[in-house]
Amino acid sequence: MQIVQNILLATHVFGLAIIVGPFILQMRKKEGFATGLILTGAIIQLVTGVAMVGIGEAVLDRDYNSIKIAVKLGIALIVLVGAIGARIAEKKGKPVMPWFHTAGGMAAVNILIAVIWR
């Protein structure tokens, strides 16, 4: 199961790159955001994060900080809502920027929590 956990971790990092990369590259744009990439990354992040914690707790007998995991899950859901909002706004021809920046900014916050909170 450790191999599965490592594959999930690698996929989780790729999901992160799919969110943060386009966000940083497009921060100054006024239109034409890559909302599909952000949405794909948000889904990958949420699914792999939940799977890693589930496998870690149930199979690998790891003890995670439940408060940290809950905070990260909450922020991941905000990122997902922001990505969905951006995608819907783009399809309706409405302003995408607030949704896009919410998704990207909260993803960056989630990275800081993952790295700094021990």
PDB file of all heavy atoms in Angstrom, residues 40-74:
ATOM      1  N   THR A  40      -9.647  21.156 -13.014  1.00  0.00           N
ATOM      2  CA  THR A  40      -9.058  19.814 -13.039  1.00  0.00           C
ATOM      3  C   THR A  40      -8.099  19.620 -11.867  1.00  0.00           C
ATOM      4  O   THR A  40      -8.149  18.602 -11.169  1.00  0.00           O
ATOM      5  CB  THR A  40      -8.317  19.579 -14.369  1.00  0.00           C
ATOM      6  OG1 THR A  40      -9.237  19.734 -15.446  1.00  0.00           O
ATOM      7  CG2 THR A  40      -7.693  18.203 -14.416  1.00  0.00           C
ATOM      8  N   GLY A  41      -7.242  20.604 -11.626  1.00  0.00           N
ATOM      9  CA  GLY A  41      -6.304  20.521 -10.507  1.00  0.00           C
ATOM     10  C   GLY A  41      -7.003  20.461  -9.166  1.00  0.00           C
ATOM     11  O   GLY A  41      -6.594  19.712  -8.273  1.00  0.00           O
ATOM     12  N   ALA A  42      -8.077  21.235  -9.010  1.00  0.00           N
ATOM     13  CA  ALA A  42      -8.821  21.239  -7.742  1.00  0.00           C
ATOM     14  C   ALA A  42      -9.457  19.880  -7.471  1.00  0.00           C
ATOM     15  O   ALA A  42      -9.424  19.384  -6.337  1.00  0.00           O
ATOM     16  CB  ALA A  42      -9.890  22.329  -7.764  1.00  0.00           C
ATOM     17  N   ILE A  43     -10.003  19.275  -8.507  1.00  0.00           N
ATOM     18  CA  ILE A  43     -10.601  17.945  -8.341  1.00  0.00           C
ATOM     19  C   ILE A  43      -9.526  16.919  -7.991  1.00  0.00           C
ATOM     20  O   ILE A  43      -9.700  16.102  -7.075  1.00  0.00           O
ATOM     21  CB  ILE A  43     -11.376  17.533  -9.615  1.00  0.00           C
ATOM     22  CG1 ILE A  43     -12.601  18.434  -9.789  1.00  0.00           C
ATOM     23  CG2 ILE A  43     -11.785  16.061  -9.554  1.00  0.00           C
ATOM     24  CD1 ILE A  43     -13.275  18.323 -11.141  1.00  0.00           C
ATOM     25  N   ILE A  44      -8.413  16.961  -8.708  1.00  0.00           N
ATOM     26  CA  ILE A  44      -7.306  16.030  -8.426  1.00  0.00           C
ATOM     27  C   ILE A  44      -6.817  16.208  -6.995  1.00  0.00           C
ATOM     28  O   ILE A  44      -6.607  15.225  -6.268  1.00  0.00           O
ATOM     29  CB  ILE A  44      -6.149  16.237  -9.426  1.00  0.00           C
ATOM     30  CG1 ILE A  44      -6.563  15.756 -10.810  1.00  0.00           C
ATOM     31  CG2 ILE A  44      -4.877  15.522  -8.962  1.00  0.00           C
ATOM     32  CD1 ILE A  44      -5.583  16.125 -11.913  1.00  0.00           C
ATOM     33  N   GLN A  45      -6.634  17.447  -6.574  1.00  0.00           N
ATOM     34  CA  GLN A  45      -6.152  17.719  -5.216  1.00  0.00           C
ATOM     35  C   GLN A  45      -7.104  17.169  -4.155  1.00  0.00           C
ATOM     36  O   GLN A  45      -6.668  16.529  -3.199  1.00  0.00           O
ATOM     37  CB  GLN A  45      -6.020  19.232  -5.007  1.00  0.00           C
ATOM     38  CG  GLN A  45      -4.807  19.836  -5.642  1.00  0.00           C
ATOM     39  CD  GLN A  45      -3.631  19.739  -4.710  1.00  0.00           C
ATOM     40  OE1 GLN A  45      -3.486  20.561  -3.824  1.00  0.00           O
ATOM     41  NE2 GLN A  45      -2.814  18.734  -4.885  1.00  0.00           N
ATOM     42  N   LEU A  46      -8.381  17.416  -4.335  1.00  0.00           N
ATOM     43  CA  LEU A  46      -9.363  16.981  -3.343  1.00  0.00           C
ATOM     44  C   LEU A  46      -9.420  15.456  -3.273  1.00  0.00           C
ATOM     45  O   LEU A  46      -9.351  14.874  -2.179  1.00  0.00           O
ATOM     46  CB  LEU A  46     -10.737  17.562  -3.680  1.00  0.00           C
ATOM     47  CG  LEU A  46     -11.825  17.360  -2.642  1.00  0.00           C
ATOM     48  CD1 LEU A  46     -11.443  18.042  -1.333  1.00  0.00           C
ATOM     49  CD2 LEU A  46     -13.139  17.909  -3.145  1.00  0.00           C
ATOM     50  N   VAL A  47      -9.522  14.796  -4.412  1.00  0.00           N
ATOM     51  CA  VAL A  47      -9.647  13.339  -4.437  1.00  0.00           C
ATOM     52  C   VAL A  47      -8.387  12.660  -3.895  1.00  0.00           C
ATOM     53  O   VAL A  47      -8.473  11.757  -3.050  1.00  0.00           O
ATOM     54  CB  VAL A  47      -9.971  12.846  -5.866  1.00  0.00           C
ATOM     55  CG1 VAL A  47      -9.869  11.335  -5.975  1.00  0.00           C
ATOM     56  CG2 VAL A  47     -11.352  13.320  -6.285  1.00  0.00           C
ATOM     57  N   THR A  48      -7.221  13.088  -4.351  1.00  0.00           N
ATOM     58  CA  THR A  48      -5.991  12.436  -3.887  1.00  0.00           C
ATOM     59  C   THR A  48      -5.703  12.744  -2.422  1.00  0.00           C
ATOM     60  O   THR A  48      -5.192  11.888  -1.704  1.00  0.00           O
ATOM     61  CB  THR A  48      -4.783  12.828  -4.754  1.00  0.00           C
ATOM     62  OG1 THR A  48      -4.631  14.251  -4.754  1.00  0.00           O
ATOM     63  CG2 THR A  48      -4.928  12.313  -6.166  1.00  0.00           C
ATOM     64  N   GLY A  49      -6.040  13.950  -1.971  1.00  0.00           N
ATOM     65  CA  GLY A  49      -5.831  14.288  -0.561  1.00  0.00           C
ATOM     66  C   GLY A  49      -6.675  13.421   0.361  1.00  0.00           C
ATOM     67  O   GLY A  49      -6.180  12.875   1.353  1.00  0.00           O
ATOM     68  N   VAL A  50      -7.945  13.281   0.015  1.00  0.00           N
ATOM     69  CA  VAL A  50      -8.837  12.436   0.824  1.00  0.00           C
ATOM     70  C   VAL A  50      -8.367  10.983   0.777  1.00  0.00           C
ATOM     71  O   VAL A  50      -8.347  10.297   1.803  1.00  0.00           O
ATOM     72  CB  VAL A  50     -10.301  12.574   0.333  1.00  0.00           C
ATOM     73  CG1 VAL A  50     -11.196  11.518   0.956  1.00  0.00           C
ATOM     74  CG2 VAL A  50     -10.830  13.968   0.647  1.00  0.00           C
ATOM     75  N   ALA A  51      -7.964  10.516  -0.405  1.00  0.00           N
ATOM     76  CA  ALA A  51      -7.495   9.130  -0.534  1.00  0.00           C
ATOM     77  C   ALA A  51      -6.221   8.891   0.280  1.00  0.00           C
ATOM     78  O   ALA A  51      -6.084   7.851   0.934  1.00  0.00           O
ATOM     79  CB  ALA A  51      -7.259   8.803  -2.009  1.00  0.00           C
ATOM     80  N   MET A  52      -5.290   9.852   0.255  1.00  0.00           N
ATOM     81  CA  MET A  52      -4.049   9.684   1.022  1.00  0.00           C
ATOM     82  C   MET A  52      -4.325   9.590   2.515  1.00  0.00           C
ATOM     83  O   MET A  52      -3.751   8.737   3.205  1.00  0.00           O
ATOM     84  CB  MET A  52      -3.086  10.844   0.758  1.00  0.00           C
ATOM     85  CG  MET A  52      -2.375  10.750  -0.548  1.00  0.00           C
ATOM     86  SD  MET A  52      -1.014  11.928  -0.725  1.00  0.00           S
ATOM     87  CE  MET A  52      -1.780  13.486  -0.396  1.00  0.00           C
ATOM     88  N   VAL A  53      -5.196  10.446   3.012  1.00  0.00           N
ATOM     89  CA  VAL A  53      -5.514  10.408   4.445  1.00  0.00           C
ATOM     90  C   VAL A  53      -6.254   9.119   4.782  1.00  0.00           C
ATOM     91  O   VAL A  53      -5.968   8.470   5.790  1.00  0.00           O
ATOM     92  CB  VAL A  53      -6.329  11.656   4.864  1.00  0.00           C
ATOM     93  CG1 VAL A  53      -6.853  11.516   6.275  1.00  0.00           C
ATOM     94  CG2 VAL A  53      -5.476  12.907   4.738  1.00  0.00           C
ATOM     95  N   GLY A  54      -7.186   8.726   3.924  1.00  0.00           N
ATOM     96  CA  GLY A  54      -7.937   7.497   4.177  1.00  0.00           C
ATOM     97  C   GLY A  54      -7.048   6.269   4.209  1.00  0.00           C
ATOM     98  O   GLY A  54      -7.130   5.451   5.126  1.00  0.00           O
ATOM     99  N   ILE A  55      -6.180   6.136   3.225  1.00  0.00           N
ATOM    100  CA  ILE A  55      -5.266   4.988   3.184  1.00  0.00           C
ATOM    101  C   ILE A  55      -4.267   5.063   4.333  1.00  0.00           C
ATOM    102  O   ILE A  55      -3.954   4.063   4.967  1.00  0.00           O
ATOM    103  CB  ILE A  55      -4.545   4.910   1.829  1.00  0.00           C
ATOM    104  CG1 ILE A  55      -5.539   4.498   0.750  1.00  0.00           C
ATOM    105  CG2 ILE A  55      -3.368   3.944   1.878  1.00  0.00           C
ATOM    106  CD1 ILE A  55      -4.986   4.546  -0.650  1.00  0.00           C
ATOM    107  N   GLY A  56      -3.776   6.265   4.620  1.00  0.00           N
ATOM    108  CA  GLY A  56      -2.819   6.429   5.713  1.00  0.00           C
ATOM    109  C   GLY A  56      -3.399   6.029   7.056  1.00  0.00           C
ATOM    110  O   GLY A  56      -2.758   5.335   7.847  1.00  0.00           O
ATOM    111  N   GLU A  57      -4.624   6.460   7.305  1.00  0.00           N
ATOM    112  CA  GLU A  57      -5.282   6.142   8.591  1.00  0.00           C
ATOM    113  C   GLU A  57      -5.703   4.675   8.663  1.00  0.00           C
ATOM    114  O   GLU A  57      -5.461   4.005   9.660  1.00  0.00           O
ATOM    115  CB  GLU A  57      -6.512   7.037   8.790  1.00  0.00           C
ATOM    116  CG  GLU A  57      -6.207   8.481   9.056  1.00  0.00           C
ATOM    117  CD  GLU A  57      -6.131   8.820  10.525  1.00  0.00           C
ATOM    118  OE1 GLU A  57      -6.527   7.982  11.366  1.00  0.00           O
ATOM    119  OE2 GLU A  57      -5.679   9.924  10.828  1.00  0.00           O
ATOM    120  N   ALA A  58      -6.365   4.190   7.616  1.00  0.00           N
ATOM    121  CA  ALA A  58      -6.980   2.863   7.668  1.00  0.00           C
ATOM    122  C   ALA A  58      -5.984   1.725   7.453  1.00  0.00           C
ATOM    123  O   ALA A  58      -6.063   0.702   8.127  1.00  0.00           O
ATOM    124  CB  ALA A  58      -8.092   2.770   6.629  1.00  0.00           C
ATOM    125  N   VAL A  59      -5.063   1.888   6.528  1.00  0.00           N
ATOM    126  CA  VAL A  59      -4.201   0.779   6.140  1.00  0.00           C
ATOM    127  C   VAL A  59      -2.793   0.916   6.701  1.00  0.00           C
ATOM    128  O   VAL A  59      -2.228  -0.048   7.220  1.00  0.00           O
ATOM    129  CB  VAL A  59      -4.157   0.653   4.594  1.00  0.00           C
ATOM    130  CG1 VAL A  59      -3.240  -0.473   4.170  1.00  0.00           C
ATOM    131  CG2 VAL A  59      -5.556   0.466   4.028  1.00  0.00           C
ATOM    132  N   LEU A  60      -2.223   2.093   6.589  1.00  0.00           N
ATOM    133  CA  LEU A  60      -0.829   2.283   6.994  1.00  0.00           C
ATOM    134  C   LEU A  60      -0.687   2.674   8.463  1.00  0.00           C
ATOM    135  O   LEU A  60       0.419   2.873   8.944  1.00  0.00           O
ATOM    136  CB  LEU A  60      -0.163   3.336   6.097  1.00  0.00           C
ATOM    137  CG  LEU A  60      -0.140   2.993   4.604  1.00  0.00           C
ATOM    138  CD1 LEU A  60       0.436   4.154   3.807  1.00  0.00           C
ATOM    139  CD2 LEU A  60       0.642   1.722   4.361  1.00  0.00           C
ATOM    140  N   ASP A  61      -1.791   2.807   9.160  1.00  0.00           N
ATOM    141  CA  ASP A  61      -1.817   3.096  10.597  1.00  0.00           C
ATOM    142  C   ASP A  61      -1.054   4.375  10.955  1.00  0.00           C
ATOM    143  O   ASP A  61      -0.315   4.422  11.946  1.00  0.00           O
ATOM    144  CB  ASP A  61      -1.268   1.910  11.388  1.00  0.00           C
ATOM    145  CG  ASP A  61      -1.733   1.938  12.846  1.00  0.00           C
ATOM    146  OD1 ASP A  61      -2.851   2.421  13.098  1.00  0.00           O
ATOM    147  OD2 ASP A  61      -0.960   1.491  13.713  1.00  0.00           O
ATOM    148  N   ARG A  62      -1.231   5.405  10.141  1.00  0.00           N
ATOM    149  CA  ARG A  62      -0.613   6.704  10.427  1.00  0.00           C
ATOM    150  C   ARG A  62      -1.568   7.527  11.276  1.00  0.00           C
ATOM    151  O   ARG A  62      -2.784   7.400  11.169  1.00  0.00           O
ATOM    152  CB  ARG A  62      -0.285   7.440   9.140  1.00  0.00           C
ATOM    153  CG  ARG A  62       0.777   6.736   8.351  1.00  0.00           C
ATOM    154  CD  ARG A  62       1.353   7.612   7.285  1.00  0.00           C
ATOM    155  NE  ARG A  62       2.434   6.908   6.621  1.00  0.00           N
ATOM    156  CZ  ARG A  62       2.672   6.962   5.349  1.00  0.00           C
ATOM    157  NH1 ARG A  62       1.932   7.708   4.560  1.00  0.00           N
ATOM    158  NH2 ARG A  62       3.666   6.289   4.825  1.00  0.00           N
ATOM    159  N   ASP A  63      -1.000   8.380  12.077  1.00  0.00           N
ATOM    160  CA  ASP A  63      -1.807   9.245  12.929  1.00  0.00           C
ATOM    161  C   ASP A  63      -1.647  10.684  12.451  1.00  0.00           C
ATOM    162  O   ASP A  63      -0.597  11.290  12.652  1.00  0.00           O
ATOM    163  CB  ASP A  63      -1.348   9.106  14.391  1.00  0.00           C
ATOM    164  CG  ASP A  63      -2.267   9.830  15.346  1.00  0.00           C
ATOM    165  OD1 ASP A  63      -3.459   9.969  15.025  1.00  0.00           O
ATOM    166  OD2 ASP A  63      -1.788  10.261  16.405  1.00  0.00           O
ATOM    167  N   TYR A  64      -2.675  11.206  11.801  1.00  0.00           N
ATOM    168  CA  TYR A  64      -2.632  12.565  11.273  1.00  0.00           C
ATOM    169  C   TYR A  64      -3.221  13.548  12.277  1.00  0.00           C
ATOM    170  O   TYR A  64      -4.032  13.175  13.121  1.00  0.00           O
ATOM    171  CB  TYR A  64      -3.428  12.652   9.968  1.00  0.00           C
ATOM    172  CG  TYR A  64      -2.839  11.859   8.836  1.00  0.00           C
ATOM    173  CD1 TYR A  64      -3.451  10.687   8.394  1.00  0.00           C
ATOM    174  CD2 TYR A  64      -1.683  12.268   8.195  1.00  0.00           C
ATOM    175  CE1 TYR A  64      -2.918   9.955   7.351  1.00  0.00           C
ATOM    176  CE2 TYR A  64      -1.142  11.546   7.154  1.00  0.00           C
ATOM    177  CZ  TYR A  64      -1.766  10.384   6.734  1.00  0.00           C
ATOM    178  OH  TYR A  64      -1.231   9.666   5.703  1.00  0.00           O
ATOM    179  N   ASN A  65      -2.816  14.807  12.154  1.00  0.00           N
ATOM    180  CA  ASN A  65      -3.391  15.886  12.946  1.00  0.00           C
ATOM    181  C   ASN A  65      -4.768  16.187  12.352  1.00  0.00           C
ATOM    182  O   ASN A  65      -4.875  16.785  11.287  1.00  0.00           O
ATOM    183  CB  ASN A  65      -2.480  17.114  12.890  1.00  0.00           C
ATOM    184  CG  ASN A  65      -2.996  18.276  13.698  1.00  0.00           C
ATOM    185  OD1 ASN A  65      -4.165  18.343  14.034  1.00  0.00           O
ATOM    186  ND2 ASN A  65      -2.101  19.200  13.998  1.00  0.00           N
ATOM    187  N   SER A  66      -5.815  15.767  13.033  1.00  0.00           N
ATOM    188  CA  SER A  66      -7.177  15.878  12.507  1.00  0.00           C
ATOM    189  C   SER A  66      -7.597  17.323  12.261  1.00  0.00           C
ATOM    190  O   SER A  66      -8.321  17.604  11.294  1.00  0.00           O
ATOM    191  CB  SER A  66      -8.169  15.207  13.452  1.00  0.00           C
ATOM    192  OG  SER A  66      -7.885  13.834  13.553  1.00  0.00           O
ATOM    193  N   ILE A  67      -7.157  18.227  13.098  1.00  0.00           N
ATOM    194  CA  ILE A  67      -7.521  19.637  12.921  1.00  0.00           C
ATOM    195  C   ILE A  67      -6.872  20.173  11.645  1.00  0.00           C
ATOM    196  O   ILE A  67      -7.525  20.855  10.853  1.00  0.00           O
ATOM    197  CB  ILE A  67      -7.125  20.467  14.155  1.00  0.00           C
ATOM    198  CG1 ILE A  67      -7.923  19.998  15.367  1.00  0.00           C
ATOM    199  CG2 ILE A  67      -7.340  21.954  13.901  1.00  0.00           C
ATOM    200  CD1 ILE A  67      -7.479  20.587  16.673  1.00  0.00           C
ATOM    201  N   LYS A  68      -5.614  19.867  11.443  1.00  0.00           N
ATOM    202  CA  LYS A  68      -4.923  20.314  10.235  1.00  0.00           C
ATOM    203  C   LYS A  68      -5.595  19.735   8.991  1.00  0.00           C
ATOM    204  O   LYS A  68      -5.826  20.449   8.009  1.00  0.00           O
ATOM    205  CB  LYS A  68      -3.450  19.880  10.270  1.00  0.00           C
ATOM    206  CG  LYS A  68      -2.683  20.238   9.015  1.00  0.00           C
ATOM    207  CD  LYS A  68      -1.245  19.734   9.091  1.00  0.00           C
ATOM    208  CE  LYS A  68      -0.490  19.983   7.808  1.00  0.00           C
ATOM    209  NZ  LYS A  68       0.885  19.490   7.863  1.00  0.00           N
ATOM    210  N   ILE A  69      -5.931  18.458   9.023  1.00  0.00           N
ATOM    211  CA  ILE A  69      -6.581  17.821   7.876  1.00  0.00           C
ATOM    212  C   ILE A  69      -7.938  18.465   7.619  1.00  0.00           C
ATOM    213  O   ILE A  69      -8.312  18.722   6.466  1.00  0.00           O
ATOM    214  CB  ILE A  69      -6.724  16.299   8.104  1.00  0.00           C
ATOM    215  CG1 ILE A  69      -5.344  15.637   8.218  1.00  0.00           C
ATOM    216  CG2 ILE A  69      -7.558  15.654   7.005  1.00  0.00           C
ATOM    217  CD1 ILE A  69      -4.445  15.807   7.024  1.00  0.00           C
ATOM    218  N   ALA A  70      -8.689  18.777   8.671  1.00  0.00           N
ATOM    219  CA  ALA A  70      -9.996  19.420   8.510  1.00  0.00           C
ATOM    220  C   ALA A  70      -9.853  20.812   7.901  1.00  0.00           C
ATOM    221  O   ALA A  70     -10.633  21.198   7.023  1.00  0.00           O
ATOM    222  CB  ALA A  70     -10.714  19.488   9.852  1.00  0.00           C
ATOM    223  N   VAL A  71      -8.855  21.566   8.358  1.00  0.00           N
ATOM    224  CA  VAL A  71      -8.623  22.909   7.810  1.00  0.00           C
ATOM    225  C   VAL A  71      -8.231  22.808   6.337  1.00  0.00           C
ATOM    226  O   VAL A  71      -8.753  23.534   5.487  1.00  0.00           O
ATOM    227  CB  VAL A  71      -7.533  23.653   8.626  1.00  0.00           C
ATOM    228  CG1 VAL A  71      -7.074  24.913   7.920  1.00  0.00           C
ATOM    229  CG2 VAL A  71      -8.055  23.976  10.027  1.00  0.00           C
ATOM    230  N   LYS A  72      -7.331  21.889   6.015  1.00  0.00           N
ATOM    231  CA  LYS A  72      -6.907  21.718   4.622  1.00  0.00           C
ATOM    232  C   LYS A  72      -8.063  21.258   3.742  1.00  0.00           C
ATOM    233  O   LYS A  72      -8.202  21.706   2.597  1.00  0.00           O
ATOM    234  CB  LYS A  72      -5.737  20.743   4.531  1.00  0.00           C
ATOM    235  CG  LYS A  72      -4.429  21.349   5.052  1.00  0.00           C
ATOM    236  CD  LYS A  72      -3.252  20.444   4.873  1.00  0.00           C
ATOM    237  CE  LYS A  72      -2.974  20.015   3.477  1.00  0.00           C
ATOM    238  NZ  LYS A  72      -2.819  21.062   2.472  1.00  0.00           N
ATOM    239  N   LEU A  73      -8.922  20.377   4.259  1.00  0.00           N
ATOM    240  CA  LEU A  73     -10.086  19.932   3.501  1.00  0.00           C
ATOM    241  C   LEU A  73     -11.043  21.096   3.250  1.00  0.00           C
ATOM    242  O   LEU A  73     -11.553  21.261   2.138  1.00  0.00           O
ATOM    243  CB  LEU A  73     -10.812  18.800   4.240  1.00  0.00           C
ATOM    244  CG  LEU A  73     -12.095  18.286   3.588  1.00  0.00           C
ATOM    245  CD1 LEU A  73     -11.815  17.721   2.202  1.00  0.00           C
ATOM    246  CD2 LEU A  73     -12.746  17.231   4.478  1.00  0.00           C
ATOM    247  N   GLY A  74     -11.273  21.911   4.278  1.00  0.00           N
ATOM    248  CA  GLY A  74     -12.129  23.083   4.113  1.00  0.00           C
ATOM    249  C   GLY A  74     -11.597  24.035   3.050  1.00  0.00           C
ATOM    250  O   GLY A  74     -12.351  24.523   2.196  1.00  0.00           O
TER     251      GLY A  74
END
